Amino acid sequence: MQMLNSVNNLKVAKNFKLSEFACPCCKLVMLHPKLLAKLVELRNILERPVYITSGYRCPRYNQKIGGVVNSYHRIGLAADIKVKDTNLIELLEICENIDFNGIGFYEKKNFLHLDVRPTKRSRWRE
Ligand SMILES: [Zn+2]
Ligand SMILES: [Zn+2]
């Protein structure tokens, strides 16, 4: 299993590694270039690390954590993010300007869900 430690250990942008987007259970990964481009834009505006708390999810993992069946995480179009010492509302405003097609605001758990779904814009709050 030694090999698994270095799999996907490559930079896909100056501040992001592919492994950061990998499924925690199997290390498989899908990452749409449009999602990455928008996250890079966010990172550049913030000038601080953007932590990917959930990127790609294989069907099994998605089910295990109770994700919705057709989650955009399952096809590499979504990421959940956290940014240290940054107000979630402020972060939301920046993400609105970058125009992610889907934005979920998770106030209690203190993270944002961001996606580049091909369908019309969607906003929700938990
Ligand atoms: Zn998995
Ligand atoms: Zn999400």
Side-chain angles (χ1 to χ4, degrees), residues 57 73 80 113:
R57 296 173 190 165
H73 286 278
D80 295 342
H113 164 104

Side-chain angles (χ1 to χ4, degrees), residues 96-111:
E96 285 288 359
N97 289 333
I98 295 170
D99 202 27
F100 285 92
N101 243 6
I103 302 180
F105 184 84
Y106 292 82
E107 195 165 19
K108 273 194 199 128
K109 291 178 187 163
N110 195 41
F111 76 88

Side-chain angles (χ1 to χ4, degrees), residues 16 35-52 81-83 86 90-96 98 100 112 114:
F16 292 104
L35 176 64
L36 179 63
K38 285 185 185 290
L39 290 171
V40 166
E41 202 180 326
L42 175 64
R43 172 65 176 79
N44 290 342
I45 292 167
L46 290 169
E47 296 182 314
R48 59 178 66 185
V50 172
Y51 297 102
I52 310 298
I81 64 145
K82 268 187 183 176
V83 180
T86 302
E90 204 178 300
L91 194 59
L92 177 67
E93 277 170 17
I94 297 167
C95 291
E96 285 288 359
I98 295 170
F100 285 92
L112 291 185
L114 304 169

